[in-house]
Short mmCIF file of all heavy atoms in Angstrom, two decimals:
data_model
loop_
_atom_site.label_atom_id
_atom_site.label_comp_id
_atom_site.label_asym_id
_atom_site.label_seq_id
_atom_site.Cartn_x
_atom_site.Cartn_y
_atom_site.Cartn_z
N MET G 19 0.82 -1.21 0.09
CA MET G 19 0.04 -0.08 0.02
C MET G 19 0.87 1.17 -0.03
O MET G 19 1.79 1.31 0.77
CB MET G 19 -0.88 -0.02 1.28
CG MET G 19 -2.15 -0.48 1.09
SD MET G 19 -3.02 -0.37 2.65
CE MET G 19 -4.52 0.00 1.97
N THR G 20 0.45 2.07 -0.75
CA THR G 20 1.20 3.44 -0.82
C THR G 20 0.51 4.42 -0.04
O THR G 20 -0.70 4.20 0.54
CB THR G 20 1.34 3.94 -2.31
OG1 THR G 20 0.04 4.27 -2.75
CG2 THR G 20 2.03 2.94 -3.16
N ASN G 21 1.17 5.53 0.25
CA ASN G 21 0.42 6.54 1.01
C ASN G 21 -0.67 7.19 0.36
O ASN G 21 -1.60 7.75 1.02
CB ASN G 21 1.59 7.70 1.41
CG ASN G 21 2.54 7.25 2.40
OD1 ASN G 21 2.16 6.33 3.09
ND2 ASN G 21 3.67 7.91 2.44
N ALA G 22 -0.75 7.11 -0.95
CA ALA G 22 -1.91 7.65 -1.67
C ALA G 22 -3.20 6.82 -1.34
O ALA G 22 -4.31 7.25 -1.48
CB ALA G 22 -1.62 7.73 -3.23
N THR G 23 -3.05 5.53 -1.08
CA THR G 23 -4.27 4.63 -0.90
C THR G 23 -4.63 4.52 0.48
O THR G 23 -5.73 3.92 0.83
CB THR G 23 -4.06 3.23 -1.46
OG1 THR G 23 -2.90 2.77 -0.79
CG2 THR G 23 -3.75 3.29 -2.92
N LYS G 24 -3.80 4.89 1.45
CA LYS G 24 -4.20 4.84 2.97
C LYS G 24 -5.12 5.97 3.24
O LYS G 24 -4.94 7.09 2.77
CB LYS G 24 -2.96 4.98 3.88
CG LYS G 24 -2.11 3.81 3.73
CD LYS G 24 -0.91 4.01 4.75
CE LYS G 24 0.05 2.73 4.68
NZ LYS G 24 1.04 2.84 5.62
N THR G 25 -6.09 5.61 4.10
CA THR G 25 -7.11 6.61 4.55
C THR G 25 -7.02 6.65 6.07
O THR G 25 -7.40 5.58 6.63
CB THR G 25 -8.42 6.34 4.10
OG1 THR G 25 -8.47 6.20 2.69
CG2 THR G 25 -9.36 7.40 4.41
N ILE G 26 -6.48 7.69 6.62
CA ILE G 26 -6.40 7.83 7.96
C ILE G 26 -7.25 9.08 8.38
O ILE G 26 -6.98 10.13 8.04
CB ILE G 26 -4.95 7.91 8.61
CG1 ILE G 26 -4.30 6.68 8.24
CG2 ILE G 26 -4.95 8.29 10.05
CD1 ILE G 26 -2.78 6.82 8.50
N SER G 27 -8.29 8.83 9.29
CA SER G 27 -9.08 9.88 9.67
C SER G 27 -9.07 10.10 11.24
O SER G 27 -9.38 9.28 12.00
CB SER G 27 -10.55 9.65 9.34
OG SER G 27 -11.31 10.65 9.68
N ASN G 28 -8.59 11.35 11.62
CA ASN G 28 -8.55 11.67 13.10
C ASN G 28 -9.62 12.57 13.32
O ASN G 28 -9.53 13.33 14.41
CB ASN G 28 -7.22 12.15 13.41
CG ASN G 28 -6.17 10.87 13.37
OD1 ASN G 28 -6.38 9.92 13.45
ND2 ASN G 28 -4.94 11.45 13.19
N ALA G 29 -10.50 12.87 12.45
CA ALA G 29 -11.63 13.81 12.71
C ALA G 29 -12.65 13.33 13.75
O ALA G 29 -12.87 12.14 13.74
CB ALA G 29 -12.46 14.12 11.40
N PRO G 30 -12.95 14.12 14.66
CA PRO G 30 -13.89 13.76 15.73
C PRO G 30 -15.31 13.43 15.08
O PRO G 30 -15.73 13.97 14.19
CB PRO G 30 -14.04 15.04 16.55
CG PRO G 30 -13.57 16.07 15.80
CD PRO G 30 -12.67 15.71 14.85
N VAL G 31 -15.86 12.40 15.86
CA VAL G 31 -17.23 12.03 15.19
C VAL G 31 -18.29 13.03 15.85
O VAL G 31 -18.25 13.30 17.00
CB VAL G 31 -17.46 10.58 15.89
CG1 VAL G 31 -18.93 10.12 15.39
CG2 VAL G 31 -16.48 9.58 15.39
N ALA G 32 -19.00 13.49 14.95
CA ALA G 32 -19.99 14.47 15.33
C ALA G 32 -21.31 13.75 16.03
O ALA G 32 -21.62 12.70 15.50
CB ALA G 32 -20.52 15.13 14.15
N GLU G 33 -21.52 14.24 17.17
CA GLU G 33 -22.73 13.72 17.92
C GLU G 33 -24.02 14.37 17.58
O GLU G 33 -23.86 15.57 17.19
CB GLU G 33 -22.51 13.76 19.46
CG GLU G 33 -21.45 12.91 19.92
CD GLU G 33 -21.50 12.90 21.49
OE1 GLU G 33 -22.50 12.95 22.08
OE2 GLU G 33 -20.41 12.95 22.05
N ASP G 34 -24.98 13.77 17.52
CA ASP G 34 -26.36 14.33 17.21
C ASP G 34 -26.78 15.07 18.52
O ASP G 34 -27.03 14.52 19.59
CB ASP G 34 -27.39 13.29 16.94
CG ASP G 34 -28.82 13.88 16.55
OD1 ASP G 34 -28.82 15.15 16.35
OD2 ASP G 34 -29.76 13.16 16.37
N ARG G 35 -26.85 16.42 18.56
CA ARG G 35 -27.10 17.31 19.69
C ARG G 35 -28.60 17.11 20.04
O ARG G 35 -28.83 17.56 21.12
CB ARG G 35 -26.68 18.76 19.46
CG ARG G 35 -25.18 18.75 19.14
CD ARG G 35 -24.32 18.57 20.29
NE ARG G 35 -24.29 19.55 21.15
CZ ARG G 35 -23.56 19.66 22.43
NH1 ARG G 35 -22.91 18.49 22.62
NH2 ARG G 35 -23.54 20.51 23.15
N ASN G 36 -29.39 16.67 19.21
CA ASN G 36 -30.83 16.54 19.33
C ASN G 36 -31.31 15.16 19.93
O ASN G 36 -32.47 15.00 20.09
CB ASN G 36 -31.69 16.98 18.22
CG ASN G 36 -31.50 18.45 17.97
OD1 ASN G 36 -31.57 19.26 18.92
ND2 ASN G 36 -31.38 18.85 16.72
N ALA G 37 -30.35 14.21 20.02
CA ALA G 37 -30.69 12.93 20.39
C ALA G 37 -31.24 12.84 21.84
O ALA G 37 -30.80 13.64 22.68
CB ALA G 37 -29.46 12.03 20.24
N TRP G 38 -32.15 11.91 22.09
CA TRP G 38 -32.65 11.79 23.37
C TRP G 38 -31.66 10.83 24.20
O TRP G 38 -31.66 9.61 23.84
CB TRP G 38 -34.14 11.22 23.36
CG TRP G 38 -34.76 11.25 24.64
CD1 TRP G 38 -34.73 10.22 25.65
CD2 TRP G 38 -35.52 12.32 25.19
NE1 TRP G 38 -35.47 10.60 26.63
CE2 TRP G 38 -35.93 11.94 26.52
CE3 TRP G 38 -35.95 13.52 24.77
CZ2 TRP G 38 -36.76 12.62 27.27
CZ3 TRP G 38 -36.74 14.28 25.63
CH2 TRP G 38 -37.16 13.82 26.81
N ARG G 39 -31.00 11.32 25.09
CA ARG G 39 -30.06 10.65 25.86
C ARG G 39 -30.40 10.77 27.34
O ARG G 39 -30.54 11.78 27.85
CB ARG G 39 -28.63 10.87 25.48
CG ARG G 39 -28.49 10.73 23.97
CD ARG G 39 -26.97 10.79 23.57
NE ARG G 39 -26.19 9.47 23.79
CZ ARG G 39 -25.07 9.23 23.70
NH1 ARG G 39 -24.31 10.33 23.45
NH2 ARG G 39 -24.57 8.15 23.91
N TRP G 40 -30.19 9.63 28.17
CA TRP G 40 -30.35 9.78 29.63
C TRP G 40 -29.06 9.97 30.19
O TRP G 40 -28.01 9.53 29.63
CB TRP G 40 -31.07 8.51 30.00
CG TRP G 40 -32.43 8.25 29.45
CD1 TRP G 40 -32.78 7.50 28.37
CD2 TRP G 40 -33.61 8.87 29.92
NE1 TRP G 40 -34.07 7.58 28.16
CE2 TRP G 40 -34.66 8.28 29.11
CE3 TRP G 40 -33.86 9.57 30.97
CZ2 TRP G 40 -35.94 8.75 29.19
CZ3 TRP G 40 -35.18 10.03 31.14
CH2 TRP G 40 -36.16 9.48 30.20
N GLY G 41 -29.19 10.51 31.49
CA GLY G 41 -28.07 10.64 32.29
C GLY G 41 -27.40 12.07 32.20
O GLY G 41 -28.14 12.96 31.55
N PHE G 42 -26.28 12.37 32.65
CA PHE G 42 -25.70 13.74 32.63
C PHE G 42 -24.96 13.89 31.41
O PHE G 42 -23.66 13.80 31.31
CB PHE G 42 -24.83 13.96 33.91
CG PHE G 42 -25.63 14.00 35.19
CD1 PHE G 42 -25.53 12.93 36.01
CD2 PHE G 42 -26.43 15.05 35.53
CE1 PHE G 42 -26.19 12.91 37.19
CE2 PHE G 42 -27.12 15.05 36.59
CZ PHE G 42 -27.07 13.97 37.44
N THR G 43 -25.64 14.15 30.31
CA THR G 43 -25.09 14.26 29.08
C THR G 43 -25.34 15.68 28.48
O THR G 43 -26.34 16.25 28.94
CB THR G 43 -25.42 13.23 28.04
OG1 THR G 43 -26.82 13.30 27.83
CG2 THR G 43 -25.11 11.76 28.48
N PRO G 44 -24.56 16.16 27.51
CA PRO G 44 -24.96 17.48 26.97
C PRO G 44 -26.38 17.40 26.32
O PRO G 44 -27.05 18.27 26.25
CB PRO G 44 -23.83 17.70 25.87
CG PRO G 44 -22.71 17.01 26.42
CD PRO G 44 -23.14 15.83 27.06
N GLN G 45 -26.81 16.30 25.65
CA GLN G 45 -28.00 16.17 25.05
C GLN G 45 -29.17 16.28 26.12
O GLN G 45 -30.15 16.89 25.84
CB GLN G 45 -28.08 14.78 24.22
CG GLN G 45 -27.26 14.80 22.95
CD GLN G 45 -25.89 14.23 23.40
OE1 GLN G 45 -25.54 14.12 24.60
NE2 GLN G 45 -24.99 14.17 22.33
N ALA G 46 -28.92 15.59 27.27
CA ALA G 46 -30.04 15.67 28.28
C ALA G 46 -30.15 17.05 28.81
O ALA G 46 -31.24 17.57 29.11
CB ALA G 46 -29.64 14.70 29.37
N GLU G 47 -29.13 17.87 28.91
CA GLU G 47 -29.12 19.18 29.44
C GLU G 47 -29.67 20.15 28.48
O GLU G 47 -30.52 21.03 28.81
CB GLU G 47 -27.76 19.67 29.77
CG GLU G 47 -27.03 18.95 30.87
CD GLU G 47 -28.00 19.10 32.09
OE1 GLU G 47 -28.47 20.12 32.51
OE2 GLU G 47 -28.02 17.95 32.86
N ILE G 48 -29.60 19.89 27.15
CA ILE G 48 -30.18 20.67 26.06
C ILE G 48 -31.83 20.40 26.14
O ILE G 48 -32.60 21.38 26.14
CB ILE G 48 -29.67 20.30 24.69
CG1 ILE G 48 -28.20 20.98 24.56
CG2 ILE G 48 -30.60 20.83 23.61
CD1 ILE G 48 -27.46 20.43 23.30
N TRP G 49 -32.13 19.13 26.28
CA TRP G 49 -33.68 18.82 26.40
C TRP G 49 -34.24 19.38 27.73
O TRP G 49 -35.32 19.97 27.71
CB TRP G 49 -33.92 17.43 26.26
CG TRP G 49 -33.95 16.86 24.81
CD1 TRP G 49 -32.76 16.37 24.12
CD2 TRP G 49 -35.04 17.16 24.01
NE1 TRP G 49 -33.31 16.24 22.97
CE2 TRP G 49 -34.63 16.71 22.63
CE3 TRP G 49 -36.29 17.85 23.99
CZ2 TRP G 49 -35.36 16.68 21.53
CZ3 TRP G 49 -37.09 17.78 22.85
CH2 TRP G 49 -36.50 17.34 21.77
N ASN G 50 -33.43 19.42 28.71
CA ASN G 50 -33.93 19.91 30.00
C ASN G 50 -34.14 21.51 29.88
O ASN G 50 -35.14 21.95 30.30
CB ASN G 50 -32.82 19.70 31.14
CG ASN G 50 -33.37 20.27 32.42
OD1 ASN G 50 -34.56 20.26 32.76
ND2 ASN G 50 -32.31 20.47 33.26
N GLY G 51 -33.27 22.20 29.18
CA GLY G 51 -33.45 23.72 29.05
C GLY G 51 -34.68 23.92 28.18
O GLY G 51 -35.37 24.82 28.38
N ARG G 52 -34.82 23.22 27.12
CA ARG G 52 -35.86 23.28 26.13
C ARG G 52 -37.25 23.16 26.90
O ARG G 52 -38.08 23.88 26.79
CB ARG G 52 -35.79 22.36 25.01
CG ARG G 52 -34.65 22.65 24.01
CD ARG G 52 -34.71 21.60 23.01
NE ARG G 52 -33.52 21.96 21.98
CZ ARG G 52 -33.01 21.05 21.12
NH1 ARG G 52 -33.48 19.88 21.09
NH2 ARG G 52 -32.07 21.49 20.34
N LEU G 53 -37.31 22.06 27.65
CA LEU G 53 -38.64 21.89 28.30
C LEU G 53 -38.84 22.88 29.41
O LEU G 53 -39.99 23.18 29.77
CB LEU G 53 -38.58 20.45 28.94
CG LEU G 53 -38.59 19.30 27.98
CD1 LEU G 53 -38.39 17.92 28.58
CD2 LEU G 53 -39.75 19.24 27.17
N ALA G 54 -37.93 23.29 30.06
CA ALA G 54 -37.97 24.46 31.09
C ALA G 54 -38.41 25.69 30.48
O ALA G 54 -39.24 26.41 31.05
CB ALA G 54 -36.61 24.67 31.77
N MET G 55 -38.03 25.96 29.22
CA MET G 55 -38.43 27.15 28.55
C MET G 55 -40.01 27.02 28.17
O MET G 55 -40.65 28.05 28.39
CB MET G 55 -37.54 27.56 27.23
CG MET G 55 -36.20 27.98 27.58
SD MET G 55 -35.31 28.44 26.02
CE MET G 55 -34.69 26.90 25.62
N ILE G 56 -40.37 25.85 27.86
CA ILE G 56 -41.80 25.70 27.47
C ILE G 56 -42.56 25.78 28.80
O ILE G 56 -43.72 26.37 28.59
CB ILE G 56 -42.05 24.23 26.75
CG1 ILE G 56 -41.36 24.27 25.40
CG2 ILE G 56 -43.46 23.84 26.82
CD1 ILE G 56 -41.22 22.87 24.76
N GLY G 57 -42.04 25.26 29.84
CA GLY G 57 -42.87 25.32 31.09
C GLY G 57 -43.00 26.87 31.64
O GLY G 57 -43.97 27.23 32.03
N PHE G 58 -41.92 27.59 31.52
CA PHE G 58 -41.92 29.04 31.82
C PHE G 58 -42.80 29.77 30.98
O PHE G 58 -43.63 30.58 31.50
CB PHE G 58 -40.49 29.53 31.72
CG PHE G 58 -40.47 31.01 32.22
CD1 PHE G 58 -40.48 31.25 33.63
CD2 PHE G 58 -40.34 31.94 31.28
CE1 PHE G 58 -40.36 32.51 34.03
CE2 PHE G 58 -40.27 33.37 31.84
CZ PHE G 58 -40.20 33.70 33.11
N LEU G 59 -42.74 29.57 29.71
CA LEU G 59 -43.72 30.24 28.81
C LEU G 59 -45.22 29.83 29.14
O LEU G 59 -46.04 30.73 29.04
CB LEU G 59 -43.47 29.94 27.26
CG LEU G 59 -44.28 30.49 26.25
CD1 LEU G 59 -44.11 32.03 26.32
CD2 LEU G 59 -43.93 29.98 24.96
N ALA G 60 -45.37 28.58 29.36
CA ALA G 60 -46.87 28.18 29.72
C ALA G 60 -47.28 28.97 30.94
O ALA G 60 -48.38 29.32 31.02
CB ALA G 60 -46.91 26.77 29.90
N ALA G 61 -46.54 29.04 31.98
CA ALA G 61 -46.80 29.70 33.21
C ALA G 61 -47.05 31.16 32.97
O ALA G 61 -48.04 31.75 33.50
CB ALA G 61 -45.81 29.54 34.40
N ALA G 62 -46.17 31.82 32.24
CA ALA G 62 -46.44 33.26 31.88
C ALA G 62 -47.78 33.45 31.10
O ALA G 62 -48.47 34.43 31.39
CB ALA G 62 -45.28 33.82 31.08
N LEU G 63 -48.05 32.58 30.09
CA LEU G 63 -49.24 32.79 29.34
C LEU G 63 -50.53 32.54 30.30
O LEU G 63 -51.49 33.16 29.99
CB LEU G 63 -49.32 31.80 28.19
CG LEU G 63 -48.38 32.12 27.12
CD1 LEU G 63 -48.29 31.01 26.07
CD2 LEU G 63 -48.68 33.42 26.50
N ILE G 64 -50.45 31.59 31.15
CA ILE G 64 -51.60 31.37 32.12
C ILE G 64 -51.86 32.62 33.02
O ILE G 64 -52.92 33.12 33.14
CB ILE G 64 -51.35 30.17 33.09
CG1 ILE G 64 -51.59 28.81 32.37
CG2 ILE G 64 -52.31 30.12 34.21
CD1 ILE G 64 -51.15 27.51 32.94
N GLU G 65 -50.75 33.30 33.38
CA GLU G 65 -50.86 34.48 34.21
C GLU G 65 -51.43 35.65 33.38
O GLU G 65 -52.26 36.32 33.85
CB GLU G 65 -49.51 34.92 34.86
CG GLU G 65 -49.02 33.91 35.96
CD GLU G 65 -47.79 34.46 36.68
OE1 GLU G 65 -47.56 35.77 36.73
OE2 GLU G 65 -47.19 33.72 37.34
N LEU G 66 -50.94 35.74 32.17
CA LEU G 66 -51.52 36.83 31.35
C LEU G 66 -53.05 36.52 30.99
O LEU G 66 -53.78 37.54 30.96
CB LEU G 66 -50.78 36.90 29.98
CG LEU G 66 -49.35 37.45 30.14
CD1 LEU G 66 -48.65 37.34 28.86
CD2 LEU G 66 -49.36 38.96 30.55
N ALA G 67 -53.44 35.36 30.72
CA ALA G 67 -54.80 35.00 30.30
C ALA G 67 -55.67 35.03 31.41
O ALA G 67 -56.87 35.55 31.26
CB ALA G 67 -54.81 33.61 29.71
N SER G 68 -55.30 34.65 32.72
CA SER G 68 -56.34 34.54 33.70
C SER G 68 -56.19 35.64 34.64
O SER G 68 -57.16 35.95 35.44
CB SER G 68 -56.07 33.35 34.61
OG SER G 68 -54.75 33.39 35.25
N GLY G 69 -55.17 36.48 34.69
CA GLY G 69 -55.11 37.54 35.59
C GLY G 69 -54.63 37.21 36.98
O GLY G 69 -54.54 38.04 37.96
N GLN G 70 -54.37 35.92 37.26
CA GLN G 70 -53.95 35.31 38.44
C GLN G 70 -52.73 34.78 38.34
O GLN G 70 -52.14 34.46 37.21
CB GLN G 70 -54.92 34.31 38.97
CG GLN G 70 -56.23 34.69 39.03
CD GLN G 70 -57.18 33.50 39.47
OE1 GLN G 70 -56.71 32.46 39.74
NE2 GLN G 70 -58.53 33.61 39.36
N GLY G 71 -51.88 34.54 39.51
CA GLY G 71 -50.68 33.96 39.43
C GLY G 71 -50.88 32.42 39.11
O GLY G 71 -51.91 31.93 39.17
N PHE G 72 -49.80 31.83 38.77
CA PHE G 72 -49.77 30.36 38.35
C PHE G 72 -50.38 29.47 39.47
O PHE G 72 -51.22 28.61 39.25
CB PHE G 72 -48.42 29.97 38.02
CG PHE G 72 -48.31 28.49 37.59
CD1 PHE G 72 -48.87 27.99 36.33
CD2 PHE G 72 -47.85 27.48 38.49
CE1 PHE G 72 -48.77 26.68 36.00
CE2 PHE G 72 -47.84 26.22 38.02
CZ PHE G 72 -48.22 25.73 36.73
N LEU G 73 -49.94 29.72 40.77
CA LEU G 73 -50.41 28.87 41.84
C LEU G 73 -51.76 29.20 42.21
O LEU G 73 -52.57 28.30 42.71
CB LEU G 73 -49.40 29.08 43.06
CG LEU G 73 -47.93 28.58 42.87
CD1 LEU G 73 -47.15 28.94 44.05
CD2 LEU G 73 -47.95 27.10 42.43
N HIS G 74 -52.19 30.49 42.04
CA HIS G 74 -53.67 30.79 42.39
C HIS G 74 -54.49 30.17 41.28
O HIS G 74 -55.72 29.78 41.66
CB HIS G 74 -53.84 32.39 42.41
CG HIS G 74 -53.16 32.95 43.63
ND1 HIS G 74 -53.87 33.05 44.89
CD2 HIS G 74 -52.09 33.57 43.92
CE1 HIS G 74 -53.14 33.64 45.69
NE2 HIS G 74 -51.98 33.99 45.07
N PHE G 75 -54.06 30.22 40.12
CA PHE G 75 -54.91 29.55 38.98
C PHE G 75 -55.19 28.05 39.30
O PHE G 75 -56.45 27.61 38.97
CB PHE G 75 -54.09 29.88 37.68
CG PHE G 75 -54.78 29.16 36.47
CD1 PHE G 75 -55.87 29.76 35.93
CD2 PHE G 75 -54.45 28.07 35.98
CE1 PHE G 75 -56.60 29.33 34.82
CE2 PHE G 75 -55.19 27.46 34.90
CZ PHE G 75 -56.15 28.07 34.23
N TRP G 76 -54.27 27.38 39.75
CA TRP G 76 -54.36 25.96 39.98
C TRP G 76 -55.10 25.71 41.42
O TRP G 76 -55.26 24.50 41.73
CB TRP G 76 -53.05 25.11 39.96
CG TRP G 76 -52.66 25.13 38.45
CD1 TRP G 76 -51.78 25.79 37.92
CD2 TRP G 76 -53.30 24.27 37.50
NE1 TRP G 76 -51.67 25.43 36.47
CE2 TRP G 76 -52.59 24.43 36.25
CE3 TRP G 76 -54.26 23.25 37.53
CZ2 TRP G 76 -52.93 23.89 35.17
CZ3 TRP G 76 -54.61 22.55 36.28
CH2 TRP G 76 -53.94 22.76 35.17
N GLY G 77 -55.24 26.74 42.33
CA GLY G 77 -55.93 26.57 43.47
C GLY G 77 -55.04 26.08 44.63
O GLY G 77 -55.46 25.56 45.59
N ILE G 78 -53.58 26.27 44.39
CA ILE G 78 -52.68 25.81 45.36
C ILE G 78 -52.47 26.82 46.50
O ILE G 78 -52.39 26.60 47.66
CB ILE G 78 -51.34 25.48 44.69
CG1 ILE G 78 -51.55 24.36 43.72
CG2 ILE G 78 -50.28 25.23 45.60
CD1 ILE G 78 -50.39 24.13 42.85
N LEU G 79 -52.70 28.16 46.12
CA LEU G 79 -52.61 29.21 47.14
C LEU G 79 -53.93 29.92 47.34
O LEU G 79 -54.75 30.12 46.50
CB LEU G 79 -51.51 30.28 46.68
CG LEU G 79 -50.11 29.96 46.98
CD1 LEU G 79 -49.29 31.01 46.54
CD2 LEU G 79 -49.88 29.68 48.49
#
């Protein structure tokens, strides 16, 4: 084999950042942040629509 026919790749393998992975992984933290943003937006919309706080809306306070 000559050097022209050898293929050596030291490039890092790209991970799918949107994959659903369990444990303390970057993918899990990305999904945690996304779901937290959805929850925060839902709570803010409930407060705007009802004129009450989130806990008052659900009858907790």
Side-chain angles (χ1 to χ4, degrees):
M19 269 184 139
T20 65
N21 286 339
T23 59
K24 288 184 181 179
T25 304
I26 298 175
S27 176
N28 290 335
V31 177
E33 288 188 44
D34 184 14
R35 301 295 277 178
N36 289 321
W38 188 270
R39 302 192 80 192
W40 295 96
F42 295 107
T43 63
Q45 290 85 356
E47 295 302 317
I48 289 171
W49 277 102
N50 183 26
R52 289 174 180 166
L53 295 174
M55 287 186 277
I56 291 170
F58 183 79
L59 180 63
L63 290 175
I64 286 172
E65 288 190 20
L66 285 173
S68 69
Q70 301 177 9
F72 178 74
L73 297 178
H74 287 275
F75 179 78
W76 288 103
I78 296 172
L79 284 178

